[in-house]
Amino acid sequence: MKKILVSILIIAAVSIGVVGYQYSKGGNSTSNKEQTKRANKPIATKARKADSVQTAETTGSPMITMSSNADMAVFYTSVNDLVQAADVIIEGVVTNVAYFDLNTITNTRALVRVTKSYTSSVKAGDVVPVIDVGGITTEAAMIRYSGNKSNRPIGKAEENTKVQILFDGAPLTKVGERVVYFAIKRDTNWLLSYEKPEYKKVDSAFYPQANETYYQPIAGYQSTFMISDGIVDRYVPKGDQGGKYTSLKMTKAKFDQQLANAVKNKK
């Protein structure tokens, strides 16, 4: 069964405060046909201005936060929609988080200890890597990725200043979080096939190794749920225009029931 992949390319420059994204082609329909379309290659698109840029002068710490809006190809409005589009569904606890840059894209690599799996290829007790767009890089890397046309000097201050890239403002994954991912199975050889030599292993706390299996949420925060105090929900962008997104907030018991029914009836 084909699955949709949301491919996102960040073209970010601290000097001009810009972040851009690319998504798989498709309409806004949540039909199974639209949900099963797949993008085969990341493509650069016109960049958008960041919603907010916070510097060390305003936060009191050497961190720049950049958050940019982007249009999703598909909106998943129910648990059933997510189940139909995913081939890997896991519940677990985040045990480790690291970040890496691939070309100009900053990513998060989270290790998740699986407590419950709805996929035969993954079992409870497994520790699996989940890779998604967004993460932490450095100001120096961002300047280099921009091409530094203004010839801005890059020194220790820029090398030591962290830049937090947030996709639609969604918070980054944290160690200890209880999560549910609706994802697709990937091989790092696919990821590395888009690697550009000039960006290879630049400012990377972790960099993908060849032949490693990883899991990718089918639609970023739309397919990532948090579990806390018996409640399950997902991130909704602030200022969501037209109510395109919903948190699908519900009790864990109700979520489990909907998920089990959807898996049982999956086409």
Side-chain angles (χ1 to χ4, degrees), residues 80-125:
N80 184 67
D81 286 344
L82 290 162
V83 169
Q84 294 297 324
D87 61 7
V88 176
I89 306 169
I90 57 173
E91 177 183 323
V93 178
V94 178
T95 61
N96 181 270
V97 172
Y99 311 104
F100 68 94
D101 292 345
L102 178 65
N103 302 336
T104 59
I105 308 172
T106 300
N107 300 273
T108 293
R109 177 187 187 262
L111 291 181
V112 179
R113 178 171 52 80
V114 178
T115 56
K116 189 173 184 178
S117 174
Y118 294 85
T119 307
S120 60
S121 61
V122 181
K123 298 178 175 58

Side-chain angles (χ1 to χ4, degrees), residues 11 16 60 62-63 65 79 100 160 179-181 215:
I11 313 169
I16 56 175
M63 173 74 80
T65 297
V79 172
F100 68 94
N160 293 330
V179 294
V180 175
Y181 286 110
Y215 299 90

Side-chain angles (χ1 to χ4, degrees), residues 49-62:
K49 287 186 177 180
D51 295 325
S52 62
V53 177
Q54 298 177 329
T55 65
E57 289 72 23
T58 59
T59 63
S61 61

Side-chain angles (χ1 to χ4, degrees), residues 8-12 17-23 45-53 65-72 133-134 142 164-170 221 235 237-238 245:
I8 307 167
L9 177 61
I10 297 180
I11 313 169
V18 169
V19 178
Y21 299 89
Q22 166 64 25
Y23 303 89
T45 58
K46 185 177 180 180
R48 299 171 182 267
K49 287 186 177 180
D51 295 325
S52 62
V53 177
T65 297
M66 299 183 69
S67 177
S68 181
N69 290 332
D71 296 324
M72 285 284 190
V133 70
M142 300 286 279
Q164 181 178 228
I165 306 293
L166 306 180
F167 172 36
D168 268 0
Y221 54 80
Y235 173 78
K238 294 180 180 179
Y245 302 94

